[in-house]
Amino acid sequence: VYSGPVASRPGTNNIGWLEPEHEFEMATPSEDLLDRLWSLCSVSVDLSRGVHICPFCPKDVTCSFERNGRRLLLGAAEVRAFGADGTIYAAPTLVYHYVQVHHYRPPTEFVEATRNGPIPPNPEYFKRLENLGLAWSPTASGEGRRRVFPTSGPG
C-alpha cells in the first residue's frame, strides 16, 4: 500500500497517487472493478483547491471522463473505500482513470474493500463518511473543462 500524501484519519491507507518516476504494478482491469471504482468516484471526499491532472497523458486531455453515459470530473478530490477489518483506503478520484487507461493494479486489499465494503449509492457508505466526519459532495461532471495545469511527467 502506497503511503503518499498524509492520510486524513488514523487507520487510513493511501493508494493510487501515481507519478511517472515511480513504477507501479499493472493488470488489465475487469469491468466489475471499473464499475465499482466509478461508483466510488461519483462521490467526492476531501475536495482539493484545483484539479490534479494525469501525469501520464498528453497535456490536452480533458479532466472530464465518461462511463455508461455519465461524466465526472476526476482529479479534484479523493474517494474512500472501507475494508472488512476496519481499514479505510483513500485514493485520488483519478484512480479510476489510472486503472482503466494506464492499467494500474491497486493493492488487493483496496480491491477487496471496493468489492465487499459499502460503495455509493449504498446508505452505509455515507453513514461511514459521516461517522468519520468527512465532508462529501456529488462529483461534478466537469463538462467543458480542460487540463490547465502543467504535468511533472512527459507529455
Side-chain angles (χ1 to χ4, degrees), residues 1-4 13-18 37 89-92 95 104 106-107 110:
V1 174
Y2 174 70
S3 59
N13 289 324
N14 293 306
I15 66 100
W17 273 270
L18 306 181
L37 290 174
Y89 297 91
V95 70
Y104 165 57
F110 173 79

Side-chain angles (χ1 to χ4, degrees), residues 31-73:
E31 288 299 312
D32 182 57
L33 174 59
L34 292 173
D35 284 342
R36 287 180 274 125
L37 290 174
W38 191 253
S39 291
L40 284 173
C41 289
S42 71
V43 173
S44 290
V45 178
D46 280 348
L47 290 169
S48 63
R49 293 183 181 193
V51 178
H52 177 81
I53 53 173
C54 176
F56 304 102
C57 287
K59 291 181 180 175
D60 62 348
V61 171
T62 181
C63 295
S64 182
F65 299 90
E66 186 174 329
R67 183 170 182 82
N68 300 324
R70 182 170 182 203
R71 274 200 167 295
L72 296 176
L73 173 67

Side-chain angles (χ1 to χ4, degrees), residues 112-127:
E112 288 301 314
T114 69
R115 180 177 293 125
N116 300 319
I119 61 174
N122 183 332
E124 178 63 25
Y125 181 80
F126 300 102
K127 183 177 179 182

Side-chain angles (χ1 to χ4, degrees), residues 82-144:
F82 301 100
D85 64 355
T87 302
I88 304 161
Y89 297 91
T93 54
L94 273 176
V95 70
Y96 171 83
H97 170 74
Y98 292 153
V99 170
Q100 183 210 32
V101 174
H102 304 294
H103 291 182
Y104 165 57
R105 183 183 166 277
T108 302
E109 302 87 352
F110 173 79
V111 173
E112 288 301 314
T114 69
R115 180 177 293 125
N116 300 319
I119 61 174
N122 183 332
E124 178 63 25
Y125 181 80
F126 300 102
K127 183 177 179 182
R128 291 194 188 187
L129 292 178
E130 181 182 334
N131 289 344
L132 291 168
L134 291 170
W136 64 272
S137 64
T139 301
S141 70
E143 288 292 332

Side-chain angles (χ1 to χ4, degrees), residues 10-34:
T12 301
N13 289 324
N14 293 306
I15 66 100
W17 273 270
L18 306 181
E19 292 295 334
E21 51 276 348
H22 299 286
E23 292 184 16
F24 54 87
E25 290 188 40
M26 297 174 68
T28 301
S30 69
E31 288 299 312
D32 182 57
L33 174 59
L34 292 173

